[in-house]
């Protein structure tokens, strides 16, 4: 019997996921909080709050308290975590009394940003908080043999950041983190539609465009989609048809910066591990890994096989939950 429940939290820019060893994934909700600005009261968290984005009266704002994988609004993040912990204890059917928590942090985060994450989780009643680097958690969640002296290359394309890391013997050998992810692609699409069509679209519309007709820089049959927004000239609602080729052009620069990060990481790789990479390839995780054609495109660019993790959206959370046992094992071996 454990003295306390052990849980892993993926505190992502776009989604917050909670994983426990016994029950698996118990929470997967958007990292969005709806607040009444007059009373500072939290009205909704997660899926319910995301539905409110861009559709609320003046006194209610739906905000995302995490930016680029780190805490942008400390108080709101703490409130969100408290709600998530309450939901987790309901799902588990037992109150979470001083749980042991492992939280993932972007590898490029500063010590101040890491301390903020640790303090926010402790404020929610955690007994002890351990931080794990996001690429390591993603590799563990993708079932890679991270504790062996073999090169495991992980590319985690999240909402706020893209983490590229080579992991061997439980540690990061080479790593690059850039603040480009799914949110940046949404932003690129919003700006493109605004410039070309004088149409203002919301963040959720941009996300839907990316998911339905967004493609990496590969040849594909052209597909079209009708989108609605506000005409900036007349101020009236308007519907236009947009092509997947246009969206491909809109996100090109952001995708190229992801490739640059992958190349830079591979260039820093020790020669002994380079042979493993050619044999084993690169594993993609994170929501951005679901972009149409991204595996094929990255493989063409770096001439190495590219594979999608078994559950790309959940890899980091699963790895975070599993990492407690892994940490003990690694500490023993050192």
């Amino acid at each position: 019997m454990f003295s306390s429940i052990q849980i892993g939290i993926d505190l992502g820019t776009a989604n917050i996921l909670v994983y426990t060893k016994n029950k698996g994934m118990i929470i997967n909700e958007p990292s969005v909080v709806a607040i009444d600005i007059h009373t500072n009261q939290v009205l909704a968290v997660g899926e319910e709050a995301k539905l409110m984005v861009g559709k609320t009266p003046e006194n209610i704002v739906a905000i995302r308290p995490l930016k680029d994988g780190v805490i942008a609004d400390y108080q709101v993040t703490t409130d969100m975590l408290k709600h998530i912990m309450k939901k987790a204890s309901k799902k588990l059917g037992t109150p979470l009394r001083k749980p042991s928590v492992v939280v993932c942090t972007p590898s490029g985060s500063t010590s101040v940003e890491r301390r903020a994450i640790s303090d926010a989780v402790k404020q929610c009643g955690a007994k002890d908080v351990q931080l794990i680097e996001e690429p390591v958690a993603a590799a563990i969640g993708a079932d890679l043999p991270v504790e062996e002296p073999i090169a495991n290359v992980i590319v985690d394309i999240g909402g706020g950041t893209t983490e590229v890391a080579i992991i061997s013997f439980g540690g990061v050998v080479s790593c690059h983190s850039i603040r480009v992810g799914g949110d940046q692609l949404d932003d690129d699409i919003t700006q493109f539609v605004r410039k070309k069509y004088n149409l203002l679209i919301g963040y959720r519309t941009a996300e839907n465009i990316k998911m339905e007709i967004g493609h990496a820089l590969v040849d594909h049959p052209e597909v079209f989609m009708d989108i609605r927004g506000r005409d900036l000239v007349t101020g009236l609602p308007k519907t236009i048809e947009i092509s997947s080729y246009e969206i491909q052009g809109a996100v090109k620069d952001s995708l190229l910066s992801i490739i640059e990060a992958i190349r830079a990481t591979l260039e820093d790789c020790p020669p002994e591990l380079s042979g493993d990479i050619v044999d084993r390839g690169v594993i993609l995780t994170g929501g951005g890994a679901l972009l149409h054609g991204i595996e094929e495109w990255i493989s063409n660019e770096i001439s190495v096989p590219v594979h999608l993790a078994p559950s790309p959206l959940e890899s980091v959370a699963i790895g975070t939950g599993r990492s407690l046992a892994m940490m003990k094992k690694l500490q023993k071996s050192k």
Side-chain angles (χ1 to χ4, degrees):
M1 188 75 185
F2 288 111
S3 57
S4 68
I5 294 170
Q6 298 179 338
I7 62 174
I9 299 176
D10 174 10
L11 202 55
T13 310
N15 294 289
I16 184 164
L17 295 90
V18 179
Y19 178 91
T20 66
K21 196 177 172 188
N22 302 337
K23 294 256 178 133
M25 196 67 62
I26 55 170
I27 286 176
N28 181 353
E29 300 232 358
S31 308
V32 184
V33 183
I35 291 176
D36 185 326
I37 53 174
H38 296 327
T39 61
N40 274 345
Q41 186 185 350
V42 175
L43 303 175
V45 170
E47 199 63 60
E48 204 183 328
K50 190 177 182 182
L51 294 172
M52 297 183 183
V53 173
K55 298 180 179 179
T56 56
E58 279 181 17
N59 64 312
I60 298 171
V61 288
I63 59 171
R64 299 170 74 181
L66 295 141
K67 189 166 173 56
D68 301 332
V70 293
I71 293 174
D73 189 319
Y74 185 82
Q75 190 52 53
V76 178
T77 303
T78 310
D79 291 341
M80 178 175 75
L81 277 166
K82 282 176 182 162
H83 275 74
I84 292 291
M85 291 291 207
K86 274 183 198 164
K87 278 188 185 176
S89 58
K90 276 183 192 168
K91 291 269 175 83
L92 291 166
T94 173
L96 282 171
R97 288 200 184 92
K98 296 192 173 176
S100 295
V101 180
V102 181
V103 190
C104 65
T105 60
S107 51
S109 57
T110 64
S111 55
V112 174
E113 289 165 340
R114 286 166 192 247
R115 171 63 64 86
I117 290 171
S118 179
D119 288 352
V121 176
K122 276 184 182 162
Q123 268 209 355
C124 298
K127 185 180 73 170
D128 54 64
V129 179
Q130 291 194 44
L131 302 179
I132 182 172
E133 288 191 342
E134 218 165 277
V136 178
I140 295 170
D143 297 322
L144 296 179
V146 292
E147 71 272 28
E148 292 177 24
I150 300 169
N152 299 285
V153 185
I154 200 95
V155 178
D156 178 32
I157 308 170
T161 58
T162 294
E163 312 263 338
V164 187
I166 299 169
I167 296 158
S168 175
F169 202 61
V172 175
V173 177
S174 163
C175 175
H176 279 77
S177 173
I178 56 166
R179 299 206 165 179
V180 173
D183 287 355
Q184 182 62 51
L185 301 183
D186 297 344
D187 205 37
D188 292 342
I189 292 167
T190 307
Q191 296 301 331
F192 168 78
V193 173
R194 185 176 186 153
K195 271 185 193 163
K196 183 164 182 186
Y197 294 101
N198 276 329
L199 190 76
L200 194 62
I201 58 169
Y203 134 78
R204 289 189 64 199
T205 304
E207 191 180 31
N208 289 338
I209 295 168
K210 176 185 72 183
M211 287 157 73
E212 288 196 28
I213 63 167
H215 282 75
L217 310 180
V218 290
D219 291 333
H220 66 276
E222 189 172 15
V223 282
F224 295 90
M225 179 181 178
D226 284 344
I227 60 165
R228 295 184 183 92
R230 189 176 86 229
D231 190 317
L232 286 165
V233 180
T234 64
L236 300 173
K238 184 180 171 184
T239 303
I240 61 162
E241 188 180 61
I242 200 159
S243 142
S244 59
Y245 287 178
E246 290 176 299
I247 298 305
Q248 199 176 35
V251 299
K252 183 178 178 179
D253 288 348
S254 295
L255 291 175
L256 289 175
S257 55
I258 290 172
I259 274 291
E260 280 312 306
I262 297 172
R263 284 209 181 101
T265 309
L266 295 177
E267 280 168 15
D268 291 346
C269 178
E272 289 291 340
L273 291 174
S274 292
D276 292 341
I277 297 169
V278 174
D279 294 339
R280 298 171 56 78
V282 170
I283 302 292
L284 291 182
T285 68
L290 301 174
L291 186 72
H292 303 301
I294 196 158
E295 286 172 78
E296 184 195 336
W297 174 62
I298 293 175
S299 184
N300 291 342
E301 290 288 322
I302 60 171
S303 310
V304 165
V306 176
H307 313 286
L308 197 62
S311 46
L313 283 167
E314 298 175 347
S315 293
V316 173
I318 293 169
T320 309
R322 287 182 188 165
S323 64
L324 274 173
M326 192 77 72
M327 281 173 178
K328 285 173 189 165
K329 200 188 286 184
L330 289 168
Q331 279 160 4
K332 279 179 190 170
S333 66
K334 283 175 184 173

